[in-house]
Amino acid sequence: MCLGIPGKIIEMRDDNGLVMGVVDFGGVRRECCLAYVQDDVTLGDYVIVHVGFAITKVDEAEAQRTFEVLKEMGETQELEWLAEVADNSLAAGNDA
Amino acid sequence: MKFLSEYRDAQIAKAVIERIKAEATQRWCLMEVCGGQTHTIVRQGIDELLEDAIEMIHGPGCPVCVTPLEQIDKALLIAARPEVLFTSFGDMLRVPGSDCDLQQVRARGGDVRIVYSPLDALALAQRNPTKEVVFFAVGFETTAPANAMAVWRARELGVKNFSVLVSHVTVPPAITAIMEAPDNRVQGFLAAGHVCAVMGWTEYEPLAAKYQVPIVVTGFEPVDILEGMLLVVRQLEAGRHEVENQYVRSVRREGTPAARVTVDRVFELGNRKWRGIGEIPMSGLKLRDEFAAFDAEVKFGVQDLTVEEPAECRAGDVLTGRLKPPKCSAFGTRCTPEHPLGALMVSAEGACAAYYHIGRYRPEATGAAT
Ligand code: SF4
């Protein structure tokens, strides 16, 4: 859970006073909280995301490079999560 | 060097390794604090490559691994309650408690779900008003801003059926505890890059001065780690002890101020037990009194539970560098990732699991490595 993953902000919006957005991680997209970096970033910027929260901004070249290295090291399980497990558990919550 | 040679930056890595070997006039003892770094170091065999110049001790930097048994037992008690929908990061589900783990609670009918973010848990609470949704808030300073925000939002939005079981730890008190230990051998630290991306490194400056120990803020890729090691070795060779930043591309001295503010509003420092190490004063975060309504320990009356750690697991000795995982009598036999005896064998970031997964030092690891 400590490994941060870099991604690109492709959507930003205000959710009841909290800045949220959609971040694209090499094709996998996910809702993230942008509140902590909101003064630093705009649409199209790259951020490092930890457990659904952007904690710092990075430049594009750095983000691409880190992403490739993570893939090389086989460290993208967190992305599989993001895409499957986590969203499934949320979806299941809808029926209850 | 199977893995490092396959790695794209292998040329740079080799050059840095040569520099470290050339500059070290003695064998220095370094500790990496972050579990992500432990994973990279063991997996890429970095410690073996530098064996003559540096001894790496794997520090207590994996949140899964340091969560004490009693917090796991509290989670198990709460998760088994019929009205509770228990949520957690995935790695916590297999951490053994006194007599079972969260996965087994789920198999027996408990509603236990994996979430990616604490805000997902809050959303579940809003969608399931008849359930008590509890989130297992574990981690170092990297997850604290997220967990703090979930509690802050719950209050803001008036979500009453949401609470958190807090087991937060912070890095600087752990460094203090390691340096204060009478048999300490650590001479320099690689500090965790992403922890510092949030918190900055001002807290480390007094530690470096007081214990005369170099602390280098370091990223988690192989080349980052090697560069961090080189910077520490250079300081040691020159007799310096400063805080330096290897991970300049992501970390600023002041960290991410907005995140620190929210963490401060919701949490305060408190004593915290670390698995296998025991209680370290003011080493954890607890909810401030004004957020007591969101404290799962209070809500479900488990705050007084205390549990002794199992004697056979040597996690404390591994976390403080007194023992390398394969030297534990249970390693690879009674303790495996499938049936972990201790938390260090559960998460890929735990030192024992990291050694096990690469098949290093396993008695029967004759070519049949996984
Ligand atoms: S091998 Fe297992 S029992 Fe031994 S220290 Fe590691 S986690 Fe504990």
Side-chain angles (χ1 to χ4, degrees):
Chain A
M1 76 190 73
C2 274
L3 215 60
I5 301 187
K8 181 182 187 173
I9 303 173
I10 55 169
E11 211 180 291
M12 268 176 103
R13 68 190 155 76
D14 185 297
D15 179 2
N16 255 318
L18 189 67
V19 182
M20 297 291 293
V22 176
V23 177
D24 181 305
F25 305 92
V28 176
R29 291 173 177 194
R30 165 82 212 189
E31 253 313 269
C32 291
C33 177
L34 303 175
Y36 294 139
V37 294
Q38 65 187 78
D39 297 335
D40 273 356
V41 299
T42 52
L43 222 56
D45 279 348
Y46 286 77
V47 284
I48 291 181
V49 175
H50 272 268
V51 297
F53 283 70
I55 54 157
T56 189
K57 183 182 164 178
V58 282
D59 68 39
E60 177 172 358
E62 165 60 16
Q64 302 286 9
R65 204 192 54 79
T66 306
F67 199 79
E68 288 307 312
V69 173
L70 285 175
K71 272 209 285 208
E72 255 178 75
M73 297 200 303
E75 296 296 342
T76 41
Q77 307 98 314
E78 221 170 304
L79 277 181
E80 285 155 34
W81 256 49
L82 236 123
E84 293 163 32
V85 192
D87 287 337
N88 282 346
S89 77
L90 260 191
N94 282 327
D95 332 323
Chain B
M1 238 359 289
K2 185 164 160 249
F3 291 104
L4 203 57
S5 56
E6 288 166 3
Y7 173 69
R8 200 165 40 144
D9 288 345
Q11 286 311 326
I12 309 174
K14 282 198 191 107
V16 183
I17 287 170
E18 289 316 313
R19 278 251 61 81
I20 295 173
K21 285 183 175 165
E23 293 187 26
T25 59
Q26 67 173 90
R27 191 171 188 238
W28 298 103
C29 187
L30 272 48
M31 177 179 273
E32 85 279 4
V33 178
C34 157
Q37 292 169 340
T38 303
H39 185 67
T40 305
I41 289 170
V42 176
R43 226 180 124 165
Q44 315 282 331
I46 289 173
D47 52 339
E48 286 186 325
L49 280 173
L50 282 165
E51 213 158 23
D52 299 334
I54 293 174
E55 178 188 351
M56 284 314 289
I57 294 182
H58 312 301
C62 158
V64 177
C65 305
V66 299
T67 302
L69 189 56
E70 66 193 32
Q71 290 306 104
I72 304 289
D73 282 359
K74 287 175 194 172
L76 297 171
L77 282 173
I78 295 171
R81 297 172 73 108
E83 77 277 25
V84 166
L85 194 172
F86 195 89
T87 58
S88 167
F89 297 131
D91 347 23
M92 296 308 291
L93 262 63
R94 293 184 51 255
V95 183
S98 289
D99 53 25
C100 68
D101 60 29
L102 282 167
Q103 230 168 20
Q104 284 163 296
V105 170
R106 177 155 74 181
R108 291 174 201 155
D111 195 347
V112 178
R113 301 191 202 175
I114 296 171
V115 292
Y116 169 62
S117 162
L119 285 184
D120 293 349
L122 182 59
L124 276 171
Q126 290 173 289
R127 288 175 194 167
N128 295 272
T130 59
K131 285 274 198 172
E132 276 296 335
V133 174
V134 180
F135 178 70
F136 202 173
V138 299
F140 278 92
E141 291 93 329
T142 45
T143 54
N147 295 341
M149 182 63 89
V151 174
W152 183 263
R153 281 297 272 179
R155 189 174 72 167
E156 216 168 48
L157 302 171
V159 184
K160 299 223 162 27
N161 62 327
F162 177 75
S163 59
V164 289
L165 174 60
V166 179
S167 191
H168 262 293
V169 280
T170 57
V171 173
I175 291 185
T176 303
I178 288 158
M179 292 310 293
E180 297 270 350
D183 54 352
N184 169 57
R185 295 189 296 123
V186 178
Q187 295 164 299
F189 286 94
L190 304 183
H194 285 158
V195 164
C196 296
V198 175
M199 302 300 292
W201 66 76
T202 50
E203 292 173 293
Y204 297 89
E205 288 165 352
L207 293 175
K210 178 171 180 197
Y211 298 108
Q212 311 220 322
V213 66
I215 302 177
V216 175
V217 179
T218 303
F220 56 87
E221 296 167 21
V223 173
D224 289 330
I225 291 170
L226 288 165
E227 282 178 6
M229 289 172 159
L230 178 61
L231 292 174
V232 175
V233 166
R234 278 195 178 148
Q235 286 203 38
L236 287 167
E237 292 289 342
R240 287 187 292 123
H241 39 81
E242 292 155 17
V243 180
E244 253 181 295
N245 183 19
Q246 179 276 330
Y247 201 31
V248 274
R249 54 192 200 270
S250 296
V251 180
R252 288 166 300 177
R253 183 166 180 270
E254 70 282 6
T256 302
R260 295 174 66 172
V261 167
T262 302
V263 170
D264 260 0
R265 280 180 178 154
V266 174
F267 293 118
E268 61 186 346
L269 286 177
N271 299 342
R272 177 79 52 204
K273 265 195 193 173
W274 294 53
R275 190 159 191 148
I277 298 180
E279 185 163 293
I280 304 180
M282 300 312 245
S283 66
L285 300 175
K286 60 182 182 107
L287 288 169
R288 290 186 180 276
D289 286 345
E290 53 179 305
F291 293 96
F294 299 94
D295 189 339
E297 293 196 30
V298 177
K299 206 174 214 176
F300 301 100
V302 295
Q303 65 268 52
D304 296 325
L305 184 79
T306 54
V307 183
E308 291 302 317
E309 307 281 333
E312 189 175 14
C313 176
R314 307 276 307 273
D317 289 334
V318 173
L319 289 175
T320 47
R322 289 185 204 100
L323 187 83
K324 293 272 183 269
K327 293 271 161 62
C328 170
S329 59
F331 180 86
T333 53
R334 283 178 307 287
C335 183
T336 62
E338 292 72 41
H339 297 284
L341 200 63
L344 300 193
M345 194 54 102
V346 173
S347 150
E349 294 169 11
C352 298
Y355 274 75
Y356 188 91
H357 280 303
I358 57 158
R360 206 196 270 185
Y361 309 119
R362 265 161 73 194
E364 312 88 356
T366 44
T370 44

